[in-house]
Amino acid sequence: MTYFKIIDKEEGINRLFIGGVHGKEGLSTLNALQKIQDSDVDEGKLVIHNCDTSPYRSTLDPRYYESKVGKEVLYLINHYNPQIYVEAHCYRKENYHKLTSPERWNEQGVPPLIDLGEGVLIGSASPNIRTTLFTRNDVCITLEMPCNPSKDSLNVYLDVLRIMAGSSSRDEVEKKMRKNYPSQVERASRYAQEFFGNYPPF
């Protein structure tokens, strides 16, 4: 299920989409990432990489980045230095409430993920990399959909991926996301402020 593609429209920002970073998630994320086409990028570079199957370890665990695939993720981030970074995941449906519950603050020390519709969830990428490898103005998100998604779930997932692929700045991303998902972006901004303080905006 390994997949790698570079869309290079020359001058502009760098974007990096990485899917399937643990377990068998790549079986589902591959189908979405392969649908991103050259026409989705107006300028700059988009690097798309889907990882092979690997043992499951949460990206919230610092030891994840000592694993083979964790080191691969770090290499790609450091090599391409993206200003827009999307970590593409999928989840088992029975884990939906665990991912979106307010108890996630207490149980895992991070904000709950936010439902954009059709079970597609969004949040910040792991603080293990958000605060160390990215700047304040970078976009750095985790995007989740149900594994083996429905057509409607896949369409929402692809809508967000295409917004990220076609945007050239954090402000542009936020403007497009607010248009399509206004209440969710407002909540994401509030969570980011509560969790990171003044470090990263949405």
Side-chain angles (χ1 to χ4, degrees):
M1 77 190 74
T2 300
Y3 174 74
F4 186 80
K5 179 177 182 178
I6 295 179
I7 300 172
D8 193 348
K9 298 293 181 73
E10 299 183 352
E11 187 173 346
I13 70 166
N14 291 337
R15 307 166 191 84
L16 174 62
F17 295 176
I18 303 181
V21 300
H22 44 201
K24 297 181 180 180
E25 292 182 354
L27 293 169
S28 292
T29 57
L30 175 64
N31 294 328
L33 294 174
Q34 284 183 322
K35 294 183 185 299
I36 302 300
Q37 302 298 316
D38 289 26
S39 58
D40 293 316
V41 180
D42 294 326
E43 56 83 31
K45 180 183 292 184
L46 169 59
V47 178
I48 303 171
H49 179 64
N50 198 70
C51 302
D52 206 349
T53 299
S54 63
Y56 184 90
R57 186 185 290 274
S58 172
T59 57
L60 297 176
D61 184 343
R63 292 174 297 175
Y64 168 81
Y65 297 98
E66 298 171 4
S67 69
K68 180 180 178 181
V69 69
K71 290 177 181 178
E72 188 177 343
V73 170
L74 293 179
Y75 170 80
L76 289 167
I77 294 172
N78 285 313
H79 184 74
Y80 290 106
N81 188 30
Q83 287 77 60
I84 294 178
Y85 173 72
V86 178
E87 205 166 270
H89 294 258
C90 76
Y91 65 91
R92 294 196 298 269
K93 291 182 180 179
E94 59 265 30
N95 289 330
Y96 173 87
H97 291 292
K98 180 179 178 181
L99 294 169
T100 58
S101 170
E103 290 304 312
R104 202 165 185 248
W105 284 106
N106 299 322
E107 293 172 357
Q108 295 187 289
V110 292
L113 299 180
I114 298 165
D115 195 329
L116 297 175
E118 303 300 334
V120 175
L121 312 177
I122 194 170
S124 173
S126 169
N128 291 315
I129 60 173
R130 178 61 180 100
T131 58
T132 59
L133 300 179
F134 295 90
T135 71
R136 175 181 172 84
N137 285 322
D138 292 336
V139 175
C140 185
I141 68 164
T142 288
L143 188 66
E144 298 253 11
M145 65 179 172
C147 297
N148 302 311
S150 68
K151 182 179 178 180
D152 290 339
S153 292
L154 185 60
N155 284 340
V156 174
Y157 201 76
L158 284 169
D159 180 54
V160 177
L161 290 177
R162 288 180 174 131
I163 285 174
M164 301 295 165
S167 298
S168 299
S169 67
R170 183 190 67 80
D171 287 343
E172 187 175 353
V173 167
E174 187 168 346
K175 181 178 180 180
K176 291 178 180 178
M177 289 293 291
R178 282 189 183 278
K179 180 179 179 181
N180 292 2
Y181 313 100
S183 64
Q184 293 94 330
V185 170
E186 193 62 37
R187 195 185 323 166
S189 297
R190 187 172 71 250
Y191 285 169
Q193 181 67 29
E194 291 173 6
F195 185 75
F196 292 106
N198 291 323
Y199 174 65
F202 167 74

